Amino acid sequence: MFRFIHTADWQIGKAFGSFPAEKQGVLWDARLSAPDRIAEAARAQGAADVLVAGDVFDSEALPARQVTHLIERLRAHDGLTWHLLPGNHDPDRPGGIYERLVRGGLPRNVRLCRQAEAVTLAPGVALLPSPLKARAQTADPTAWMREAATPPGTLRIGLAHGTVQGFGSSSEAAARIDPAIAGTAGLAYLALGDWHGTKEVAGNVWYCGTPEPDRYLGNESGQVLAVTVGEGKDGITVTPVLTRRFAWVSATVAPRAGQDIDYLELKLAQTGAPDRLLARITLEGQAPLAAHGAILAQLAKLEERLFHLELEREAFGVQPLADDLAALGPGSDLAEAAERLVALKADGSRSAERALEILFRLAAGSGP
Amino acid sequence: MKLRALRVREVGCFSDAVAVEGLSGGFDVLAGRNEAGKSTLFRALETLFAESYKTESQKLRDVLTPYSGGAPLIEAEVEVEGQAWRYRKQYFSGRMAELQGAGTLHRNADAEARMSELLGGAAHTALLWVGQGDALVHAPPAEAGRDLLMAAISQEVVASAGGRRGEVVRRAAEAELEALVTLKQQRPRGPHKAARDRLTALEQSLSEADAACVNAEAHMQTLARLRDEAALLGAPATAAARQEQLVHLVRQLADDDRLAADIAAATERRDHLMVQAAQAEEAHRRFNLVMEDHARLGREIAEATVAGERLAADSEALRTRAGQSAARLVQARAEEQRLSEAVVEAGRRAEAERLWARIKEGEAARDKRDALASGLAGNLMTPLILDRVEAEVRAVALLEDRIKAAAPVVEVTIEKHATAPVLVDGKMLDASTSFRPVAPLTFAIPGVAAIRVLPPIDAGEDLAADVEAHLQTLTGLLDLAGVDAIATARKAARERAEAERAIAGLEARLLALVPEGIEAARRTLAAMPQSATSPMPGSSLDALGNQLGRAKSATAASAAEEAAALAALNAASTRKAVEEARLDERRGSLAKLAAELPSNDTRGARLDELKSRAGQLKAKTTEATETVAVLSRRRLATPERQRLAAQRAEIAAEVERIGRRLRDIERETARLDGLIERDGEAATGPERDRLRDEVERARREVARFETEVAGLTLLEKTLGEVAALGTSAYLKPVLERIAPHLAGLLDAPSLALSGNLGLASIDRRGRAEPGDRLSAGTREQIAVLVRLAYGDILAASGRPIPLVLDDALVYSDDERLVKMLAILKKASHHHQVILLSCRTRVMAEAGFRPLELRPWRLS
């Protein structure tokens, strides 16, 4: 039996350019501190080895300071051994980041998987890593595992980075991996990285996802896998362990009243603490003028509570009531214009919907 | 509001403090000459109410400050709702504002705010100022003033709470729209444009990344295919079988090549032996030949020696015969000589006889020629003279013809019963005659008349003179030839020609007979030997000739005999010499052959030895030929060898082709790896993810802007449509106030205003006349009427303000000016009207006092 942590796609140094500067720093720091939470999970799960299936760094051109910060964090967890595999974001190229790491000196508990050769993790347990040597390496990096020789009875654990679906999918490397390699190469487990969500490709072939999410994908990211091989009925157990600091949530709602936003907020709260929540809310439908304003005001308040709120409200229109029109002044030019726009809106004109909303906004500012 | 007094100091042309006091608050006309300061007062009043005391406007400073400098000070006394107020401002240096009244004193901004409050809105004062030329422009009211006016109008036409909020909202929407698109062409601008540009750039980048991805995918498929092909081509088992087959073929062909080399060597040895055998055979043959030649030469030398002796005897006999022939030849030649000399002598004699005969005939011809020549001496008519005579005769005849042609024709007809004769130059004319007188001619009828006919003077005289000259020449020529008539001259000429031809014939004959001349011939004859001139003795010349011929034949025969004898002798001598030379040559050859040959006793053994060697070499050659045949039989047949070689070449080419293809594949895969690596940079990893996110975000942003633009556009359009419906209602109060004046003043029942209260057109004589086509005076009057309507509306709304006109009716004729003054006076019952005018006389006639400026003592 051998237990280890399967993680990948740390992408240390990833920039969050679309966020305000203060939020960028927080998100960047959340990724940099992910190894601490992984270490905590490993200790909790009784694992001494952490296999990182590629993309440790977001790019090969990271400032030395960021690289040093990571290595020092790994060094601090001296009870754990970190096995770092080059991925498509940080391929092991001449003069690349891994060469720099070696030149700078590595802690004893950090091992770089730079060669496609079997290494011993523990007695009777061998790691077969498949480092990527180029960003767009095309050949199946795991092909060599079929021929890799290990002593009889050895538990063979594959470690690779690439796609099992096809080139061009989101966040995928060019390297295509034949998932059948687990069987043909006699692997007890194949730890894959690249896809940022958690995915069971086969019973013993898994994507673990990134330990700290970075997109609104809803693909079970923000966790690592605690894997035990050589025990149980199937010889393998895989247990997801949450490691994320921030939750990224997206939702689409069609509110009619403030209560709908209350419910939404309740659902969001179940995902995580508001100050560690990034939400993309898409509003749809229509609401009466007063409710429309109230909903937007409520969301504005919610934005203050959340770490980040990305609001899509283009499809959320005003449905004025008779009182709303009366408030413009019976017989006034504004009322006449509003009535015309309501008629157009009833015919499905999106422009009329937006014009109506603007009319009420500007009328509110013009005063009677 | 009513203006009661205006005071200024250091404003425009007023450096001193001056004041206009005592304004009525009704119709106040301030008439003054040009440059009296009316416009300065107008500007001062406008500045006081329109410009903050804090203004830094350089333009205002330039207009307001006197040339001598100073701090413009303006003060007005106004009455608002019965309460008097004093409003004073000083601009630029020592700037301040004061409003005093109702027991209060407000300063600076507070003063301005309070005054604005009293007047119902700060900006409204811009409404009713009509400066010089402003009326012509007829701009609609300024925006803020328009609001105030429209609000006042709304009070009349709409009591609703909404009022004109639609216009406010429409303008706000327009402002928001203008921030996003250009109003005319709806082109994106500002943040909208920036978002679109960003989206375009991002989509381009993403498109490139997608293209790179497609490329990479295509490259990867190609790569996989190439790798499969390489695996197939490079399969070890196939390659080994191919290699084994190739090695076998190479070995087979190499063995055959070695056999070919052996055959070549054997052939070479055989050929060498054949050459040696031939050489031995040749040596044997040659030795045999030398021996035979040696024997033959010995025999020939012996025979030649005998022949030489016989030739020597023959030569001697021939020499003797030649001597005899020579003696006979000498004798024959002597006889020939003698006969030749006799023939020469006979020839000379014959020549002398022929010369004598020629001399005689020549002398006869000479005598006859001399006789003819002496006859010619008396005939001087040479052909030359005759030619000239004939020419002169022709000239005279031609001239006479011409004189005749130029002469008049005078025909005289004698009547049958004429009683008087007709005299021509005194001679009586017998019968009717025609005359062509070439000289003056007188016709006379005695007792009746005399008629003198004068031919043309010029032609007649000249031609007659010419005739005379030619006649003189002709006479001279005849005299020269010694004849007296032309016919005689012609006969003498013919006789002379005949005598000359006879003399020429005799001279030719003489020359033919004795070319050297008679005397020379006689001298030649005299020089001849006497024997030639004496009679021939003995035989004749012919007989001598015959004898000489026979003697020459005898000489020739003797010469031929001698020559034949000498030739035979020479031939014998030559033959003897040739035979001796050949004998010497044979002796030399014999000596050479003898040197080549061994001694006589070993010659046979040598011949046998040579024969034996030739036989041995021939046997070896036969053996070598057999070896070549045996080896050749072991070689591969040509078709088989060709087949094997073709097979080997085919396999080798296949190996080479596969090697080349594998190298190509290796290069291509490396290239594709590079391309995939390059495209992968853009197509994979964070860059493409980032681009997708960015594009999506940019699209949402652009969509937001587009929705906003569409909403704003629709809103503005809808509000515009609604406003257009209400405009006529809003314009109604203005038009109603103007209408009563239009017919009387302009002969126009109505006019049209634009939605923003600008002048659109007037309706006159059933036709709409655009505002900008009207005369300056008409436009000016309409502008004043419109402003009067504004003023009336404002007064009706409880906010009366003065209408101030600065020379606003300068283009009006006197009649219309009077009418306008009446209208203004009537309007002044509702609000104050202040008219500044330079038309002092008209104003005085209308009863208005001139502008009076008083010193202003500042308190």
Side-chain angles (χ1 to χ4, degrees):
Chain A
M1 185 194 81
F2 180 70
R3 179 168 293 176
F4 60 94
I5 295 294
H6 170 197
T7 179
D9 301 306
W10 292 359
Q11 292 188 207
I12 300 298
K14 180 181 175 71
F16 295 88
S18 60
F19 290 87
E22 72 276 9
K23 291 181 181 176
Q24 284 184 38
V26 175
L27 293 172
W28 182 86
D29 185 64
R31 294 190 81 79
L32 185 62
S33 62
D36 293 342
R37 298 189 290 281
I38 294 170
E40 189 180 333
R43 281 192 287 271
Q45 295 293 324
D49 290 273
V50 179
L51 309 185
V52 188
D55 284 356
V56 178
F57 303 100
D58 188 57
S59 80
E60 299 169 271
L62 279 189
R65 182 172 49 81
Q66 293 186 25
V67 178
T68 305
H69 282 181
L70 174 69
I71 297 302
E72 290 311 311
R73 279 179 188 271
L74 301 183
R75 183 200 301 274
H77 303 290
D78 55 359
L80 293 174
T81 301
W82 305 85
H83 303 269
L84 309 183
L85 180 78
N88 63 311
H89 280 239
D90 54 354
D92 182 19
R93 294 196 279 203
I97 197 164
Y98 287 93
E99 269 195 16
R100 283 191 277 140
L101 276 176
V102 172
R103 277 203 303 272
L106 286 170
R108 286 171 53 192
N109 66 333
V110 175
R111 295 183 183 172
L112 304 184
C113 303
R114 299 181 64 196
Q115 302 299 328
E117 60 188 14
V119 294
T120 302
L121 287 178
V125 181
L127 177 66
L128 279 64
S130 295
L132 292 186
K133 298 289 183 179
R135 269 185 178 271
Q137 180 173 317
T138 53
D140 184 347
T142 64
W144 72 280
M145 293 179 185
R146 293 191 186 89
E147 311 298 330
T150 51
T154 300
L155 279 173
R156 290 153 64 98
I157 299 170
L159 181 64
H161 188 89
T163 177
V164 296
Q165 294 180 352
F167 188 88
S169 300
S170 177
S171 288
E172 287 177 0
R176 287 185 290 191
I177 293 170
D178 178 6
I181 190 68
T184 55
L187 302 180
Y189 183 82
L190 176 57
L192 294 176
D194 184 39
W195 199 58
H196 284 210
T198 303
K199 186 175 183 66
E200 180 183 3
V201 179
N204 60 345
V205 181
W206 283 75
Y207 281 105
C208 58
T210 180
E212 185 63 35
D214 52 10
R215 303 181 74 185
Y216 301 104
L217 289 177
N219 57 359
E220 295 186 63
S221 59
Q223 58 192 9
V224 296
L225 299 179
V227 183
T228 305
V229 291
E231 76 162 8
K233 182 185 169 190
D234 300 324
I236 185 166
T237 58
V238 178
T239 308
V241 182
L242 274 181
T243 53
R244 73 185 180 207
R245 176 176 288 174
F246 286 95
W248 295 56
V249 181
S250 63
T252 299
V253 292
R256 289 284 298 169
Q259 290 85 343
D260 294 328
I261 302 304
D262 291 339
Y263 179 72
L264 171 68
E265 200 170 342
L266 188 65
K267 295 290 287 180
L268 290 175
Q270 291 174 353
T271 311
D275 63 343
R276 293 191 177 182
L277 198 60
L278 293 91
R280 175 186 283 170
I281 307 297
T282 303
L283 298 180
E284 292 179 346
Q286 300 167 354
L289 181 62
H292 189 272
I295 287 165
L296 293 180
Q298 208 170 341
L299 284 167
K301 286 184 180 174
L302 176 62
E303 184 177 12
E304 292 172 5
R305 290 196 294 277
L306 298 182
F307 177 76
H308 183 73
L309 174 63
E310 195 172 310
L311 189 62
E312 296 291 337
R313 43 161 294 192
E314 298 311 305
F316 181 49
V318 174
Q319 180 63 52
L321 303 175
D323 288 348
D324 299 327
L325 296 174
L328 296 173
S332 71
D333 47 3
L334 278 182
E336 170 66 22
E339 282 168 9
R340 289 179 175 219
L341 293 173
V342 167
L344 287 173
K345 179 170 171 287
D347 290 339
S349 167
R350 180 76 188 90
S351 300
E353 189 173 303
R354 183 65 189 139
L356 202 55
E357 191 179 333
I358 297 169
L359 184 147
F360 281 111
R361 174 169 61 77
L362 294 176
S366 70
Chain B
M1 184 192 86
K2 290 178 180 177
L3 181 70
R4 294 297 186 183
L6 175 64
R7 304 174 187 110
V8 297
R9 187 200 66 188
E10 296 176 359
V11 174
C13 61
F14 301 115
S15 294
D16 298 330
V18 296
V20 178
E21 304 282 356
L23 297 177
S24 67
F27 189 22
D28 292 301
V29 176
L30 306 178
R33 56 177 173 75
N34 289 335
E35 299 188 343
K38 298 187 298 298
S39 293
T40 300
L41 291 173
F42 177 85
R43 273 197 300 274
L45 192 56
E46 190 180 27
T47 301
L48 179 66
F49 285 96
E51 296 287 346
S52 168
Y53 74 101
K54 292 186 288 187
T55 183
E56 290 286 355
S57 166
Q58 184 60 41
K59 186 177 175 185
L60 186 63
R61 186 190 291 270
D62 293 342
V63 169
L64 220 55
T65 309
Y67 293 124
S68 55
L73 179 66
I74 307 168
E75 181 180 285
E77 281 196 12
V78 299
E79 181 187 317
V80 181
E81 294 179 352
Q83 174 64 49
W85 296 86
R86 185 174 60 81
Y87 192 36
R88 174 189 287 184
K89 285 184 183 176
Q90 182 162 324
Y91 288 91
F92 310 125
S93 177
R95 64 188 64 180
M96 63 86 181
E98 277 183 8
L99 177 65
Q100 191 173 10
T104 60
L105 175 62
H106 302 273
R107 293 186 187 281
N108 297 338
D110 188 33
E112 288 184 335
R114 179 59 182 142
M115 176 51 77
S116 177
E117 187 183 336
L118 286 172
L119 298 181
H124 83 282
T125 50
L127 180 65
L128 298 180
W129 304 101
V130 185
Q132 281 184 0
D134 288 353
L136 290 178
V137 176
H138 195 91
E143 193 171 285
R146 191 164 67 232
D147 286 347
L148 185 73
L149 179 63
M150 297 307 277
I153 293 172
S154 294
Q155 282 186 334
E156 290 191 21
V157 297
V158 180
S160 69
R164 293 287 293 177
R165 281 172 66 202
E167 176 62 12
V168 176
V169 169
R170 192 192 65 75
R171 264 186 264 129
E174 185 181 271
E176 288 190 9
L177 186 61
E178 193 171 8
L180 299 177
V181 291
T182 59
L183 291 182
K184 270 191 175 178
Q185 298 183 328
Q186 295 278 298
R187 286 185 180 156
R189 60 186 294 183
H192 182 197
K193 182 174 187 305
R196 274 176 172 273
D197 292 346
R198 178 173 158 72
L199 175 60
T200 302
L202 285 167
E203 282 178 335
Q204 174 66 23
S205 300
L206 183 59
S207 169
E208 287 168 3
D210 286 342
C213 176
V214 171
N215 283 342
E217 181 66 22
H219 293 331
M220 286 179 66
Q221 287 175 4
T222 307
L223 198 58
R225 188 172 47 74
L226 289 172
R227 284 181 171 146
D228 289 348
E229 185 185 351
L232 193 64
L233 290 172
T238 312
R242 201 162 38 231
Q243 192 62 30
E244 187 180 346
Q245 190 180 4
L246 183 63
V247 167
H248 178 67
L249 285 167
V250 167
R251 190 179 297 130
Q252 269 186 295
L253 288 166
D255 289 347
D256 194 54
D257 286 343
R258 276 194 296 278
L259 194 56
D262 292 346
I263 290 169
T267 304
E268 189 180 358
R269 182 167 178 275
R270 179 201 65 189
D271 293 344
H272 181 65
L273 284 170
M274 284 173 78
V275 170
Q276 281 184 321
Q279 286 172 346
E281 183 68 30
E282 177 63 14
H284 173 249
R285 189 182 64 78
R286 276 179 57 78
F287 191 81
N288 204 15
L289 279 176
V290 169
M291 283 183 65
E292 286 175 3
D293 285 349
H294 186 267
R296 180 179 52 78
L297 280 172
R299 285 193 304 275
E300 284 178 358
I301 287 167
E303 289 168 4
T305 304
V306 173
E309 289 169 354
R310 190 169 55 246
L311 278 174
D314 290 348
S315 294
E316 191 54 36
L318 285 171
R319 191 169 295 113
T320 305
R321 200 179 76 190
Q324 293 168 347
S325 294
R328 279 194 296 275
L329 181 59
V330 170
Q331 189 179 356
R333 278 178 178 162
E335 179 62 15
E336 186 184 344
Q337 178 63 28
R338 188 188 65 78
L339 286 171
S340 291
E341 287 172 357
V343 167
V344 168
E345 186 61 26
R348 281 183 191 142
R349 197 179 300 277
E351 177 66 18
E353 285 173 1
R354 280 195 301 277
L355 183 57
W356 177 246
R358 281 193 292 122
I359 289 169
K360 285 298 176 190
E361 191 177 350
E363 283 174 344
R366 183 188 62 191
D367 293 345
K368 192 174 182 182
R369 181 200 67 189
D370 290 348
L372 285 171
S374 72
L376 268 181
N379 188 347
L380 301 176
M381 182 53 69
T382 64
L384 181 61
I385 293 171
L386 181 64
D387 288 346
R388 288 197 60 191
V389 167
E390 294 290 358
E392 291 304 324
V393 169
R394 282 195 300 278
V396 169
L398 283 171
L399 285 169
E400 283 176 348
D401 288 346
R402 289 183 64 193
I403 289 168
K404 225 174 195 179
V409 177
V410 180
E411 291 181 347
V412 180
T413 306
I414 306 295
E415 298 287 340
K416 191 173 180 184
H417 303 290
T419 55
V422 177
L423 303 178
V424 180
D425 275 349
K427 294 177 184 175
M428 191 176 71
L429 195 61
D430 295 334
S432 297
T433 310
S434 179
F435 297 89
R436 297 200 68 148
V438 295
L441 191 64
T442 303
F443 296 86
I445 303 171
V448 179
I451 302 167
R452 186 172 176 77
V453 177
L454 302 174
I457 293 169
D458 49 353
E461 283 185 350
D462 291 347
L463 294 172
D466 287 348
V467 168
E468 186 59 30
H470 284 294
L471 287 174
Q472 284 177 4
T473 305
L474 182 60
T475 306
L477 289 170
L478 294 175
D479 290 347
L480 182 64
V483 293
D484 54 357
I486 292 170
T488 311
R490 285 172 180 156
K491 180 171 176 288
R494 279 196 302 275
E495 289 170 354
R496 183 179 177 85
E498 286 169 5
E500 282 175 348
R501 278 196 299 277
I503 289 168
L506 290 169
E507 282 182 343
R509 178 62 185 159
L510 185 59
L511 187 63
L513 290 171
V514 278
E516 69 275 35
I518 291 173
E519 293 308 319
R522 279 187 174 275
R523 280 193 299 274
T524 302
L525 185 62
M528 283 183 174
Q530 187 63 38
S531 60
T533 55
S534 59
M536 177 71 73
S539 63
S540 68
L541 181 62
D542 292 340
L544 285 172
N546 289 336
Q547 288 175 14
L548 179 61
R550 283 191 297 273
K552 281 183 179 177
S553 298
T555 303
S558 297
E561 187 182 350
E562 184 195 22
L566 287 173
L569 179 61
N570 285 337
S573 300
T574 302
R575 194 162 58 249
K576 181 172 176 249
V578 168
E579 288 303 326
E580 284 173 354
R582 286 179 62 190
L583 184 60
D584 290 345
E585 185 185 349
R586 282 172 180 148
R587 283 177 179 146
S589 297
L590 185 66
K592 270 189 196 172
L593 290 174
E596 285 181 24
L597 292 170
S599 58
N600 284 338
D601 52 349
T602 61
R603 282 179 190 167
R606 175 65 178 155
L607 186 63
D608 292 341
E609 182 189 343
L610 288 173
K611 186 176 180 182
S612 167
R613 176 168 170 70
Q616 287 170 1
L617 285 168
K618 191 171 180 182
K620 282 183 181 176
T621 300
T622 305
E623 185 183 346
T625 302
E626 183 61 26
T627 303
V628 168
V630 169
L631 288 172
S632 296
R633 280 195 294 278
R634 283 169 55 197
R635 275 210 69 187
L636 290 170
T638 302
E640 176 63 7
R641 181 179 170 79
Q642 285 174 346
R643 188 185 65 75
L644 291 176
Q647 198 175 353
R648 181 190 62 181
E650 192 179 329
I651 293 171
E654 179 70 3
V655 169
E656 172 62 21
R657 189 188 65 74
I658 289 169
R660 209 165 41 239
R661 179 64 186 150
L662 286 171
R663 286 193 294 278
D664 288 346
I665 289 172
E666 191 178 350
R667 274 196 299 274
E668 183 63 10
T669 51
R671 188 183 73 82
L672 289 172
D673 272 333
L675 290 175
I676 291 164
E677 168 82 1
R678 187 200 67 192
D679 291 340
E681 291 280 349
T684 63
E687 178 60 16
R688 197 148 167 254
D689 292 344
R690 185 188 67 76
L691 281 172
R692 281 178 173 149
D693 288 348
E694 292 282 312
V695 165
E696 184 56 36
R697 196 170 292 117
R699 278 181 184 151
R700 284 200 300 271
E701 191 178 7
V702 168
R704 270 199 298 275
F705 278 123
E706 285 173 348
T707 305
E708 194 71 8
V709 167
L712 286 166
T713 304
L714 180 60
L715 176 58
E716 192 201 9
K717 177 170 171 280
T718 306
L719 286 169
E721 289 169 357
V722 171
L725 287 176
T727 296
S728 59
Y730 281 91
L731 296 179
K732 191 177 174 188
V734 178
L735 296 173
E736 280 176 350
R737 282 169 171 82
I738 295 172
H741 307 302
L742 289 175
L745 190 67
L746 305 177
D747 190 23
S750 64
L751 65 76
L753 294 177
S754 62
N756 59 4
L757 296 176
L759 173 61
S761 64
I762 66 169
D763 187 10
R764 193 154 53 178
R765 289 181 286 278
R767 196 177 59 180
E769 296 181 25
D772 55 357
R773 298 273 182 88
L774 297 174
S775 71
T778 303
R779 275 186 287 151
E780 185 185 57
Q781 290 142 25
I782 291 172
V784 172
L785 290 178
V786 170
R787 283 169 174 80
L788 280 175
Y790 297 165
D792 197 60
I793 291 168
L794 289 171
S797 71
R799 283 171 284 187
I801 58 172
L803 170 62
V804 186
L805 307 169
D806 180 17
D807 266 347
L809 295 168
V810 290
Y811 293 99
S812 299
D813 58 37
D814 290 345
E815 186 184 346
R816 284 198 187 174
L817 178 60
V818 169
K819 287 182 180 176
M820 285 301 296
L821 289 174
I823 292 169
L824 290 171
K825 187 168 185 177
K826 189 177 178 184
S828 68
H829 296 156
H830 304 290
H831 55 82
Q832 187 179 15
V833 176
I834 302 171
L835 174 61
L836 298 155
S837 176
C838 63
R839 302 179 70 168
T840 52
R841 188 174 57 79
V842 176
M843 293 303 166
E845 288 172 1
F848 297 110
R849 60 175 182 168
L851 170 64
E852 186 182 350
L853 293 173
R854 296 176 184 174
W856 173 28
R857 293 186 183 83
L858 278 85
S859 57

